[in-house]
Amino acid sequence: MEDNTPDQTEEELDLSTLADEELVEQMHDDLYDGLKEEIEEGTNILLGRGWEAGKVLDQALVEGMRIVGIDFRDGILFVPEVLMSANAMKGGMAILRPLLAETGAQSIGKVVIGTVKGDIHDIGKNLVAMMLEGAGFEVINIGINNGVENYLEAIEEHKPDIIGMSALLTTTMPYMKVVIDTLIEQGMRKDFIVLVGGAPLNEEFAQAIGADAYCRDASVAVETAQQLVLERRGQAALA
């Protein structure tokens, strides 16, 4: 992907000398390689050239993470590499987020995500959260070992479109149904898209507990979230 010969090392590349299109392509490469400082620099350069924050987000960062997501799905990239890409993305997002807030830019949707009660595993869940943020979602990551009260509190405060639950232990999987049943009891279930994931889960389990979808990995989670949010908005527009 890059020429690393001695007379053209990566360190010698001056991002400010690149035309806009070349810079965006270089940022895609830098995201792929998990280069946070370069992403921050590229983001600032594009903003300095008059790019709107939303345009930088969509064309440089979201598109770059889309490429990362495809290669993760296809087994070309693995979790450590994708975590580095997601961390680089966060560097760019830290610059763009206040600017996006000023302009009132709308995120694709809002997600509350957490690992359920009794389970303290969070690498996969954090990867999903970062990939969702990289795709343009606003993500509220409530961490690990979450009882139903934590989900209800986050729902009340943030009013999300999507609730994401993760479990890595077979013993904690059933707690996902406790959360969904509580949403049903309180008449709130239809207000949210519920996505579940984790190594021991499968589609049959997701259907059995009343979730909207099972997501086997972070890439699938992003694709599913995008699809279901767009479908729901389309239905709302027709109503």
Side-chain angles (χ1 to χ4, degrees):
M1 184 176 288
E2 295 160 342
D3 180 5
N4 288 323
T5 54
D7 58 339
Q8 186 180 345
T9 62
E10 194 174 324
E11 288 73 24
E12 291 172 354
L13 180 61
D14 185 351
L15 297 179
S16 65
T17 65
L18 300 178
D20 287 4
E21 186 176 336
E22 292 175 327
L23 177 55
V24 167
E25 290 182 1
Q26 182 61 44
M27 289 176 72
H28 294 168
D29 286 348
D30 290 344
L31 264 178
Y32 198 93
D33 295 333
L35 304 177
K36 184 177 181 180
E37 290 184 6
E38 284 79 352
I39 291 301
E40 292 169 342
E41 182 183 354
T43 298
N44 282 321
I45 290 170
L46 289 174
L47 291 172
R49 292 178 183 177
W51 279 46
E52 293 181 353
K55 184 179 179 183
V56 178
L57 174 65
D58 292 339
Q59 296 191 20
L61 301 187
V62 171
E63 176 60 19
M65 286 303 289
R66 186 186 70 82
I67 297 166
V68 170
I70 290 171
D71 279 6
F72 177 59
R73 179 196 66 198
D74 293 344
I76 298 167
L77 291 176
F78 299 95
V79 169
E81 297 159 311
V82 177
L83 286 171
M84 288 179 63
S85 295
N87 189 54
M89 168 83 186
K90 287 179 71 175
M93 283 299 299
I95 297 167
L96 295 177
R97 192 175 288 110
L99 301 175
L100 292 166
E102 285 176 14
T103 61
Q106 294 295 309
S107 65
I108 295 176
K110 190 180 292 187
V111 183
V112 165
I113 187 171
T115 306
V116 295
K117 188 174 183 178
D119 206 317
I120 60 170
H121 295 89
D122 66 351
I123 292 177
K125 180 262 299 172
N126 288 347
L127 179 57
V128 170
M130 287 190 283
M131 290 284 282
L132 284 168
E133 188 169 25
F137 285 90
E138 181 181 349
V139 180
I140 298 93
N141 187 340
I142 59 174
I144 59 174
N145 194 26
N146 287 288
V148 67
E149 66 281 358
N150 291 9
Y151 286 98
L152 293 176
E153 184 178 318
I155 288 167
E156 174 66 25
E157 179 179 353
H158 300 288
K159 298 176 173 56
D161 302 285
I162 297 173
I163 299 168
M165 292 187 284
S166 171
L168 195 64
L169 303 174
T170 55
T171 52
T172 60
M173 288 167 53
Y175 198 83
M176 293 178 170
K177 188 173 188 300
V178 174
V179 177
I180 292 174
D181 286 349
T182 302
L183 296 176
I184 294 171
E185 289 166 8
Q186 299 200 7
M188 302 165 59
R189 174 64 186 88
K190 292 182 179 179
D191 297 337
F192 311 104
I193 297 164
V194 177
L195 304 181
V196 297
L201 278 67
N202 55 38
E203 291 180 13
E204 290 75 20
F205 176 79
Q207 291 176 2
I209 65 172
D212 289 292
Y214 155 71
C215 304
R216 70 175 183 272
D217 59 37
S219 181
V220 171
V222 170
E223 292 172 4
T224 305
Q226 290 170 327
Q227 177 186 340
L228 293 180
V229 165
L230 289 174
E231 286 179 2
R232 175 165 288 210
R233 289 186 179 169
Q235 290 165 0
L238 293 172

